[in-house]
């Protein structure tokens, strides 16, 4: 992964720092090194005596950055404070990441349009750009339409399909791809994971660090149980929803968003199997014999799309059980074989 990282870094900087785009968007799943890339690039841009493509680590700018108080550096990220106040740590974790609010972007305007403190560049990393709400995204777009010289926006996103196309189109896209399966398995083995845990690799989109994170947060077991409820679903939505509800309550690591995401992956695989004869995520799980037979791929795909809506409201459902029943009904409808 290191060499790939260096290659990507080199390619980006191939034209020299002066030709670096002013808005970059790093996309790819969590755990592929985007954050390290951003950190390296930010340090390089602000360092006062860089050595090649690396910051010196000794100058005033490097010291400030190390202490997170460089005046020309502003890191924007989803704000989870509100949720902390409401329900403490547990709840924040269950709800997933927060949002990037418009006032966070507004504060940026004065930073971006007033001159730099050090006569040089200014750098604005924006982590999880898809977490911007509509107003924040529009506000950022206005800045990106005419980016002030010497300001660099480095956006990252691990859930790029939630990004506004207009944001994407303003940025140079830098994709971060997962390593080959063999290399990824090596990473897992090296980290001391049992071979049985390797089956989660495909589920995690091939990203080993994601599996490690799941393991660490205690997500592997509930995911396994969840998959069991999917491979042998009860035929009525209420009992399926009740099983899911009990699982969510007994497994604090599993959030409603995780659950929706997994049901989507399941539908995706069923559709893929029907259309292309292969699956992407549940490669390591035994397929229920009849699952693929007689299902209508179009219905499966539209159920997958419908679940996108569920995903949007999974953070703050009005009533968890009703939410789950509704979702179970959508799933079970899609799993009804079409009459031959
Ligand atoms: Zn330096």
């Amino acid at each position: 992964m290191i060499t790939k990282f260096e290659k990507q870094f080199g390619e980006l900087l191939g034209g020299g720092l002066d030709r670096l785009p002013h808005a970059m968007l790093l996309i790819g799943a969590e755990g592929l090194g985007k954050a390290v890339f951003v950190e390296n690039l930010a340090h390089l841009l602000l360092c006062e005596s860089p050595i090649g493509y690396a910051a010196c680590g000794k100058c005033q700018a490097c010291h400030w950055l190390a202490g997170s108080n460089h005046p020309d550096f502003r890191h924007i990220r989803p704000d989870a404070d509100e949720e902390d106040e409401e329900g403490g740590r547990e709840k924040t974790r269950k709800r997933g990441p927060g949002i990037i609010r418009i006032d966070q972007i507004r504060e940026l305007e004065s930073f971006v349009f007033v001159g730099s403190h050090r006569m040089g560049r200014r750098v604005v990393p924006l982590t999880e750009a898809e977490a911007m709400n509509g107003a924040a995204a529009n506000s950022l777009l206005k800045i990106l339409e005419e980016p002030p010289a010497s300001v660099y926006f480095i956006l990252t996103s691990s859930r790029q399909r939630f990004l506004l196309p207009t944001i994407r189109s303003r940025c140079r896209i830098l994709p971060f791809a997962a390593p080959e399966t063999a290399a990824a398995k090596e990473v897992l083995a090296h980290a001391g994971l049992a071979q049985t845990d390797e089956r989660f690799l495909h589920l995690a989109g091939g990203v080993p660090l994601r599996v490690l994170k799941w393991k660490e947060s205690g997500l592997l077991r509930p995911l396994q149980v969840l998959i069991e409820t999917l491979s042998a679903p009860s035929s009525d939505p209420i009992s399926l929803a009740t099983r899911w509800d009990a699982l969510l309550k007994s497994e604090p690591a599993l959030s409603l968003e995780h659950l929706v995401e997994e049901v989507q992956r399941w539908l995706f695989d069923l559709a893929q199997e029907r259309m292309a004869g292969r699956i992407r995520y549940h490669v390591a799980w035994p397929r229920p014999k009849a699952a693929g037979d007689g299902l209508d791929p179009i219905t499966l795909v539209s159920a997958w799309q419908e679940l996108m809506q569920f995903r949007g409201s999974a953070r703050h459902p009005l009533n968890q059980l009703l939410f789950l029943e509704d979702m179970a009904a959508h799933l079970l409808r899609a799993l009804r074989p079409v009459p031959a």
Side-chain angles (χ1 to χ4, degrees):
M1 277 208 299
I2 302 280
T3 51
K4 198 168 178 186
F5 172 84
E6 283 168 349
K7 189 166 162 265
Q8 213 154 5
F9 210 62
E11 275 167 10
L12 176 68
L13 298 169
L17 273 185
D18 295 335
R19 297 183 57 187
L20 196 68
H22 285 266
M24 292 158 265
L25 170 61
L26 280 51
I27 53 174
E30 270 172 45
L32 292 176
K34 297 191 301 298
V36 179
F37 192 98
V38 173
E39 194 186 324
N40 278 285
L41 185 56
H43 281 237
L44 173 62
L45 283 166
L46 291 171
C47 174
E48 283 157 12
S49 46
I51 305 152
Y53 286 149
C56 74
K58 291 181 185 136
C59 69
Q60 181 69 66
C62 283
H63 280 300
W64 275 336
L65 275 170
S68 309
N69 51 8
H70 196 297
D72 293 324
F73 179 84
R74 237 5 110 75
H75 195 164
I76 308 288
R77 55 184 116 215
D79 187 1
D81 287 354
E82 273 170 279
E83 291 176 350
D84 270 330
E85 280 162 24
E86 267 178 44
R89 221 161 155 220
E90 180 79 3
K91 217 159 194 175
T92 304
R93 193 154 53 95
K94 282 286 249 185
R95 282 183 184 177
I99 56 164
I100 295 176
R101 290 170 290 104
I102 183 163
D103 42 315
Q104 288 175 275
I105 305 295
R106 284 222 181 102
E107 280 165 25
L108 207 55
E109 280 169 20
S110 57
F111 170 77
V112 160
F113 292 108
V114 176
S116 102
H117 289 78
R118 300 288 287 180
M119 309 287 294
R121 307 184 180 103
R122 278 157 293 162
V123 180
V124 183
L126 199 148
T127 301
E128 297 304 351
E130 78 285 346
M132 277 186 285
N133 65 21
N138 283 327
S139 191
L140 180 69
L141 271 173
K142 280 194 195 113
I143 303 179
L144 293 184
E145 264 163 31
E146 276 186 71
S150 79
V151 179
Y152 294 87
F153 293 90
I154 317 172
L155 284 64
T156 59
S157 175
S158 57
R159 305 195 299 172
Q160 43 156 324
R161 61 185 171 280
F162 294 107
L163 271 175
L164 285 181
T166 38
I167 294 279
R168 293 178 64 111
S169 69
R170 294 272 171 213
C171 299
R172 161 91 70 88
I173 311 271
L174 301 167
F176 280 62
E180 299 291 324
T181 305
K185 283 189 174 167
E186 230 169 83
V187 173
L188 292 183
H190 200 73
L193 247 69
Q195 228 168 12
T196 46
D197 291 337
E198 278 181 7
R199 69 202 149 138
F200 289 95
L201 188 57
H202 289 284
L203 209 63
V207 184
L209 291 185
R210 207 167 166 209
V211 180
L212 294 176
K213 232 169 128 182
W214 285 356
K215 171 87 179 174
E216 209 181 277
S217 63
L219 200 56
L220 296 189
R221 209 187 74 87
L223 274 176
Q224 170 65 35
V225 178
L226 181 56
I227 292 170
E228 283 160 19
T229 72
L230 292 169
S231 52
S234 35
S235 53
D236 96 280
I238 296 178
S239 59
L240 182 55
T242 311
R243 284 174 79 187
W244 286 345
D245 191 51
L247 184 64
L248 284 168
K249 283 178 178 149
S250 63
E251 297 281 358
L254 184 75
S255 70
L256 195 51
E257 280 178 300
H258 289 133
L259 194 144
V260 181
E261 197 181 8
E262 173 51 28
V263 176
Q264 273 194 308
R265 283 193 291 255
W266 186 259
L267 283 165
F268 181 92
D269 269 359
L270 288 177
Q272 278 263 300
E273 192 170 55
R274 289 295 286 154
M275 290 188 287
R278 60 186 148 74
I279 56 174
R280 184 196 288 179
Y281 299 112
H282 301 87
V283 178
W285 274 268
R287 310 291 302 146
K289 192 92 182 105
D293 302 333
L295 296 185
D296 175 29
I298 307 296
T299 310
L300 291 166
V301 171
S302 41
W304 178 87
Q305 277 168 340
E306 283 158 13
L307 255 65
M308 273 306 189
Q309 309 284 333
F310 282 87
R311 231 165 132 158
S313 49
R315 250 183 233 174
H316 304 285
L318 290 174
N319 177 322
Q320 177 165 298
L321 193 57
L322 283 181
F323 178 97
L324 291 171
E325 278 174 25
D326 196 12
M327 192 169 75
H330 274 81
L331 171 71
L332 294 176
R333 257 201 306 277
L335 296 187
R336 222 174 278 154
V338 279

